Each structure stands twice: as structure tokens, then as C-alpha cells.
Amino acid sequence: MAQEKWLFDGLANTRAQWSVIAQDVLMAELRENLPDNSGYGFWTDDWNGYPACRARLLHHIQDAKVKNPVVIGGDIHSFWANELKIDSFDPRSPVVATEFVGTSITSYGPPYDAFMAFIPNNPHIKFFESRRRGYVLVDTDRKQMDVKMQVVSDAADPKTTLSTLKHWVVEDGRTGPQAA
């Protein structure tokens, strides 16, 4: 609770233009179809394992009117762009923060087809890609955060080429990733 208080105080009192929370795992809810189609499950080795903590943080961001909250994560070896909401599955729930997740440079990601089957049940997830390797490049100024998902043509080739897979913008005062 002391760490949570430290974070909440910092977010509530910052004068920064962008409130970036860098952390190591996927924060967005990811509702997964159960293999027998009897309902949904959640992986618990990320923020899905701590739903009360996630809810407290998102409520605090909303209640404290944190300026331009953006969460940056990784450790799932795939690219993601997400809207973070108090209730991810209620279309009326406001977007309170933006999340970008970067993939790995060389490690393979989760099975693309299996995860793509989950996406229709997760409307707050705006982009997912696990077949490509790379990183996320972020540039900010007072008006916007510019986010490029960079990919290498072949992670095993020392002469690989680099390209932009997806380009996003987060505008000052407007939460949620916008395709550029």
C-alpha cells in the first residue's frame, strides 16, 4: 500500500505534460475464450491477476484528473495499443489512460491466431501483433505523443532492415491511441 500511495501521490501532484507509467506487463484486461467455449478466462501473470489494484489505479487516474496518462509495458513479446477503462467491456465507460506494449527483439510472441480470436471480445484493444519482432519508439512534445511500432525484417539477420509497422498518436488532453 505504501508503493501505491507513492504512485498515487506522484500522479496527483505532477506538473508534467505527460504522466507516463512504465511497468513490465500488460495492464489492459484480456478476456480469453475458454477452450470449451463455456465462457472466458484470464491470464493471471499480468494485471489480470490483480484486478482490484488495476481498478484502484484507474479510478485514481480518473478521479485525480491525471494529465495525459500513458502506460508503457512489455513482457508479452507482442505489440499492443489499448484503451484503459474502469470497465473495459462497457462501451459507455470512459477511456482514462492509453497503453502501448512493445514486443521483443528476438523472443517469439504468443500464438497470433489464438490471441486474435480473443480480440473481438476485448473492444478496448485497438491493436495486437505477435508475429513481428521489434520495439516501440516514443517521441513527445507538448501537443502529442508520437508512438511508432518498429519492426525488423529478420531478427536473425545482422543486416536486417527496419520499418514502421504501426504509427499512433496520443493528443494532449485526449486519452486513447489514435492511428496516425
Side-chain angles (χ1 to χ4, degrees):
M1 292 311 290
Q3 287 178 332
E4 199 170 275
K5 181 184 180 326
W6 171 85
L7 176 61
F8 287 10
D9 289 348
L11 288 169
N13 297 314
T14 186
R15 295 188 331 240
Q17 182 71 13
W18 297 93
S19 300
V20 177
I21 301 171
Q23 49 85 54
D24 60 342
V25 294
L26 183 68
M27 184 177 285
E29 287 185 76
L30 178 60
R31 185 165 51 186
E32 301 178 27
N33 312 347
L34 292 176
D36 64 1
N37 291 320
S38 64
Y40 302 105
F42 293 92
W43 177 254
T44 58
D45 194 23
D46 56 20
W47 282 78
N48 281 329
Y50 304 90
C53 295
R54 177 178 45 216
R56 281 194 305 273
L57 175 58
L58 294 177
H59 277 287
H60 175 75
I61 288 170
Q62 183 179 43
D63 295 346
K65 297 179 177 41
V66 173
K67 189 172 185 176
N68 297 321
V70 178
V71 175
I72 305 286
D75 196 39
I76 191 167
H77 307 293
S78 45
F79 289 111
W80 301 75
N82 305 315
E83 297 174 338
L84 297 177
K85 299 174 153 194
I86 303 294
D87 183 344
S88 298
F89 307 107
D90 180 352
R92 297 166 297 166
S93 184
V95 179
V96 299
T98 306
E99 179 179 34
F100 294 105
V101 177
T103 191
S104 55
I105 296 293
T106 59
S107 298
Y108 291 103
Y112 179 80
D113 292 336
F115 273 61
M116 283 304 292
F118 306 151
I119 301 304
N121 296 318
N122 293 277
H124 54 288
I125 296 173
K126 300 305 174 189
F127 183 75
F128 164 76
E129 174 59 64
S130 65
R131 299 168 295 183
R132 305 292 304 270
R133 311 286 35 98
Y135 59 91
V136 175
L137 179 65
V138 178
D139 187 27
T140 59
D141 62 29
R142 295 192 86 45
K143 294 182 181 179
Q144 70 180 24
M145 177 179 282
D146 188 81
V147 178
K148 292 180 181 168
M149 295 176 171
Q150 301 293 105
V151 293
V152 294
S153 58
D154 182 351
D157 182 357
K159 295 181 182 180
T160 190
T161 59
L162 184 66
S163 63
T164 301
L165 173 67
K166 195 77 172 169
H167 186 183
W168 301 94
V169 171
V170 181
E171 298 171 357
D172 176 34
R174 180 178 178 193
T175 54
Q178 306 301 316

